[in-house]
Amino acid sequence: MILEKACEYRVDTHQLYIDYKQAYDTINSAELVETMKEFEIPMKLVRLVRMTLTNTNSKVKIQGKLSLSFETTIGLRQGDSLSTLLFNLCIEKIIRNVRINQGRTIFNRTRQCLAYADDVVILRKTKGYI
């Protein structure tokens, strides 16, 4: 919709697309817990999430056979509905630290960052460094 409006009002946009490969596999659980505290998520929920991320064992199925159990120390579980929400918290923390989104749109500032799941796009009115 932003790109449609930019075209309609003849606003030049330059886009940088970022797709985090294996992003869910690289989340540091200790930093995730600290991010949850920073966002003032109730401590009961923080403790519950911490419990789901510690002492986690996994198995891999290859050609119908299960591997031996191994401990998972980093990352979020694939297919877990909570993983998407937790990953979005991490992306939100990153975007806030970059300080691109300051409450306006691309029409009244030079750049904007949009994110959904593990896909991020940075829009800018002019060519140059983001």
Side-chain angles (χ1 to χ4, degrees):
M1 189 169 180
I2 290 174
L3 295 178
E4 287 177 7
K5 290 293 182 185
C7 185
E8 180 181 336
Y9 291 102
R10 299 187 189 283
V11 174
D12 288 338
T13 57
H14 303 272
Q15 304 148 33
L16 172 65
Y17 290 89
I18 304 167
D19 183 21
Y20 292 99
K21 290 186 177 187
Q22 300 175 338
Y24 287 79
D25 296 337
T26 59
I27 299 297
N28 181 314
S29 59
E31 294 207 16
L32 173 61
V33 167
E34 289 306 312
T35 298
M36 292 177 73
K37 289 177 185 176
E38 184 179 317
F39 288 166
E40 298 178 358
I41 293 174
M43 281 307 296
K44 183 174 185 174
L45 294 176
V46 173
R47 285 191 302 272
L48 286 170
V49 167
R50 186 182 318 136
M51 286 172 38
T52 65
L53 296 175
T54 55
N55 299 325
T56 304
N57 292 314
S58 303
K59 291 182 180 183
V60 178
K61 192 175 200 177
I62 302 172
Q63 295 180 346
K65 295 181 181 179
L66 283 176
S67 70
L68 297 174
S69 180
F70 57 93
E71 185 176 1
T72 307
T73 57
I74 61 170
L76 301 171
R77 285 190 211 101
Q78 294 180 5
D80 185 357
S81 57
L82 186 59
S83 294
T84 305
L85 177 66
L86 296 174
F87 184 78
N88 284 340
L89 285 173
C90 295
I91 290 291
E92 179 67 24
K93 168 83 171 165
I94 291 167
I95 291 172
R96 285 184 185 187
N97 285 345
V98 173
R99 297 178 189 217
I100 289 179
N101 290 344
Q102 296 290 325
R104 293 173 279 157
T105 67
I106 192 69
F107 296 106
N108 53 16
R109 63 179 173 180
T110 58
R111 62 184 180 219
Q112 182 170 6
C113 182
L114 306 169
Y116 178 76
D118 63 344
D119 297 313
V120 176
V121 62
I122 300 175
L123 300 172
R124 190 176 164 118
K125 285 186 181 179
T126 59
K127 290 182 183 178
Y129 294 104
I130 302 294

